[in-house]
Amino acid sequence: MSIKNLVVLASGGGTNLEALLVAEQAGELAIDGVGGRIVAVVSDVPDAGALEIARAFGVATAVVRPANFPDRALWDEALTKAVSAFSPDYVISAGFMRILGSTFLSSFGGLTINTHPALLPAFPGAHGVSDALAYGVKVTGCTVHLVDAGVDTGPILAQAAVAVQDDDTVASLHERIKEAERRLLVESVAKLCAFGVQSDGRKATFGN
Ligand code: GRF
């Protein structure tokens, strides 16, 4: 079986990471014998729940904290080095709340996907769920996309819709989005590992 090595970037609680790890254990990160293996989790937040989840699954961890670097460019270089140490075929940004810089993208551009809790290009940025709710949309959702230099602007690989309910709060809506997001991310990572990804810079598809 051909295995792709994956590094997951995460800043938060890590439910997306956990879904990937559970899927890997269940053989669901593979299609027709070609699959992914999470070799490390890298975070910018030393006490991120995602790191605990990684340890519980016996996965290597690394932390690259922006506060330990004089500027963003040096942090970006250190992050790139930390990720490179695990020789990933692909990088999965799953709740990583930082913009990846030019050094990172020169190594892993085209090989990094991100999950976002809104239907891009609507509601990019750190407040995708609350922005959608405040705007009054009736349908929102989640997007898996290739990472480029912008904020949630990269070519879209997959999306799932989630209906907004009249009595939704940010928390209740985000919870339903995260259910859809976990499924979409697992499915997307499996396809990425099995088929690769191609993009013209705007439109992207799994396959090569
Ligand atoms: C996800 O909804 C992700 O898209 C957003 O933050 C959430 C992270 O959740 N950026 P978790 O850390 O995977 O639980």
Side-chain angles (χ1 to χ4, degrees):
M1 160 148 158
S2 164
I3 302 266
K4 305 289 181 194
N5 288 332
L6 308 173
V7 168
V8 176
L9 303 177
S11 306
T15 56
N16 280 294
L17 167 68
E18 189 169 24
L20 290 170
L21 288 163
V22 167
E24 182 189 334
Q25 282 190 342
E28 287 164 9
L29 275 193
I31 300 173
D32 294 338
V34 186
R37 166 176 61 199
I38 297 165
V39 294
V41 173
V42 178
S43 183
D44 57 327
V45 177
D47 61 353
L51 293 169
E52 274 173 47
I53 291 173
R55 286 182 207 114
F57 278 79
V59 171
T61 61
V63 176
V64 188
R65 211 178 153 209
N68 292 346
F69 299 88
D71 59 36
R72 218 182 92 75
L74 288 171
W75 170 77
D76 185 47
E77 276 176 32
L79 181 74
T80 307
K81 214 169 151 189
V83 171
S84 300
F86 297 104
S87 306
D89 294 295
Y90 298 107
V91 178
I92 316 300
S93 162
F96 189 66
M97 302 308 282
R98 304 254 165 204
I99 305 302
L100 296 164
S102 56
T103 303
F104 189 91
L105 292 175
S106 66
S107 290
F108 299 111
L111 302 173
T112 302
I113 66 169
N114 178 52
T115 174
H116 180 75
L119 290 176
L120 294 170
F123 312 117
H127 308 288
V129 179
S130 54
D131 289 349
L133 190 64
Y135 195 92
V137 296
K138 302 300 185 198
V139 177
T140 182
C142 48
T143 301
V144 171
H145 64 93
L146 278 167
V147 173
D148 67 8
V151 178
D152 302 322
T153 52
I156 291 168
L157 282 161
Q159 294 186 300
V162 173
V164 180
Q165 293 169 3
D166 290 344
D167 60 353
D168 259 331
T169 61
V170 174
S172 66
L173 180 57
H174 199 176
E175 205 39 59
R176 287 206 313 291
I177 290 172
K178 285 177 80 169
E179 281 169 27
E181 197 177 15
R182 291 192 283 269
R183 281 194 299 274
L184 192 73
L185 185 63
V186 166
E187 195 183 295
S188 296
V189 171
K191 286 182 184 169
L192 180 68
C193 294
F195 309 130
V197 63
Q198 60 174 339
S199 166
D200 66 6
R202 185 61 272 153
K203 291 188 183 171
T205 49
F206 295 111
N208 46 41

